[in-house]
Amino acid sequence: MKKIIVRVLVALVILVILAGVAVALFLDTAIKRGIETAGPMLAKVEVKLDSVNLSLLSGSGKLKGLFVGNPQGFKTASAIQVATASLALEPRSLFSDKVVIRAIDLEGPEITFETDLKKNNLNQILDNLQDSTGGENAPPKPNEPAPVQQAKATKKLQVDDFLIRGGKVHVSVTGLGGREMSVALPEIHLTALGQGPEGITPAELAKEVLQAVEKEAAQASSASVADLSKQATGLLKGVTPGSNSAVDNISKGIGGLFKKK
C-alpha cells in the first residue's frame, strides 16, 4: 500500500511539473506571437523577437533578439535592436485583469536615429502608433484588423520600473553621402507606469517608452548631426553650382530639427 501511495504521489508531481512546463511554453510562445503580430500592425514596421523565457514560479524572464524595423522611406536597416532584456513580474497577476511588472531592464540597445533634417524615423514610428491606436481610451473599431482590436482590448499593464542603460545611438543624416556617427544614449529611467486601477495597454506603454527614447536620442544626436552636416557642407561649398544654397538649406534644417526638441 505504501509503495502504491508513493508511486501515485510521484506520478502527481510529474504531472504538475509537466503541466507547468506546458503552460510556460505556451505563455512564452503566446507572448512572442503577440509581439510579432500586433507590433507591425500598430507601429507599421517590422517587429521580430527571437525568444521569450518566463518563469511562472519566480516571475523572472528574458526577451532575446528584439528587432524593430524602420518605417517606409527610411534607408537604415533598423530603428531599434535589443540583444537581451530582463523583466520581473508578479506571477499571480498573469491571471488577473492587470499584469504587474516590477522591473524591465534593457541593457545596451542599439538605436538608429535617421533624419532628413525635417523628420526622423523614431518620431514616424510614434506617429504610426498614434494613428493606429487613436486616443488613449479609444475603443476598438469594427473594421480594424484583429491584432489592433486585441491590442486595445488586451490586459492592462503596470510597470513600476523601466530602465534603459548602456545604449548607443547611430546617427544617420539622409543626403549626406551615407555618413554616420555613433554616440552614447543617456540612461532612461521611467517609473510608475500604469499604476492605479486602470493600468495601461501595451500600445500605450510602447508610446511612453518610445517618446522618451526619441527625445533622448534626438538630443544626444544633435551635435553629431551638426558635425556630419559641417563635413558635408565643407565638401559641397563652392564646388558645384547652387552648393551655397544647399549649405544654407542644411544649416536651416539643423536649426529647425532641434529647435523643437
Side-chain angles (χ1 to χ4, degrees):
M1 176 65 77
K2 192 178 291 185
K3 288 183 179 179
I4 293 175
I5 293 173
V6 170
R7 287 174 181 172
V8 170
L9 289 174
V10 170
L12 287 173
V13 169
I14 292 172
L15 285 174
V16 169
I17 292 172
L18 290 175
V21 170
V23 170
L25 289 173
F26 172 79
L27 186 61
D28 292 349
T29 303
I31 293 172
K32 182 179 185 296
R33 186 185 298 119
I35 290 172
E36 292 184 333
T37 303
M41 296 295 296
L42 294 170
K44 298 181 176 65
V45 296
E46 183 181 14
V47 178
K48 296 188 294 186
L49 185 63
D50 287 346
S51 66
V52 178
N53 190 347
L54 180 64
S55 169
L56 289 176
L57 293 177
S58 66
S60 62
K62 284 191 179 297
L63 282 69
K64 293 185 178 181
L66 176 64
F67 174 95
V68 179
N70 265 323
Q72 192 172 13
F74 291 90
K75 301 183 183 302
T76 47
S78 66
I80 300 171
Q81 292 192 60
V82 182
T84 305
S86 60
L87 61 91
L89 54 78
E90 288 190 2
R92 288 180 298 178
S93 68
L94 290 169
F95 306 100
S96 65
D97 292 334
K98 184 172 75 169
V99 178
V100 178
I101 301 173
R102 293 304 179 197
I104 297 177
D105 186 354
L106 270 62
E107 185 173 2
E110 301 282 335
I111 311 294
T112 299
F113 183 86
E114 181 182 341
T115 178
D116 60 359
L117 303 181
K118 295 179 182 178
K119 60 184 184 299
N120 68 72
N121 57 332
L122 301 179
N123 194 259
Q124 183 60 58
I125 295 174
L126 273 171
D127 288 345
N128 292 346
L129 281 169
Q130 185 62 35
D131 289 344
S132 298
T133 59
E136 291 187 356
N137 298 313
K141 299 175 184 177
N143 61 339
E144 282 180 329
V148 175
Q149 293 193 26
Q150 290 169 7
K152 289 184 178 180
T154 190
K155 285 185 178 184
K156 297 298 180 68
L157 303 175
Q158 173 182 315
V159 181
D160 296 337
D161 194 276
F162 199 120
L163 180 63
I164 302 174
R165 57 196 174 95
K168 286 184 179 179
V169 182
H170 304 290
V171 187
S172 175
V173 183
T174 304
L176 296 187
R179 289 177 173 82
E180 293 188 5
M181 294 184 75
S182 295
V183 295
L185 178 72
E187 184 173 285
I188 298 172
H189 194 190
L190 305 175
T191 59
L193 301 172
Q195 288 188 345
E198 293 302 317
I200 57 175
T201 66
E204 290 165 352
L205 174 63
K207 284 191 284 187
E208 290 264 7
V209 174
L210 191 55
Q211 280 172 353
V213 169
E214 195 268 342
K215 178 182 177 182
E216 293 294 340
Q219 291 177 349
S221 301
S222 58
S224 295
V225 170
D227 192 36
L228 286 170
S229 299
K230 284 178 184 177
Q231 293 177 25
T233 54
L235 294 173
L236 282 173
K237 202 165 187 177
V239 173
T240 58
S243 60
N244 289 337
S245 175
V247 169
D248 291 339
N249 289 336
I250 290 174
S251 299
K252 288 177 183 177
I254 295 170
L257 178 66
F258 298 107
K259 188 175 181 180
K260 52 193 175 185
K261 293 300 177 186

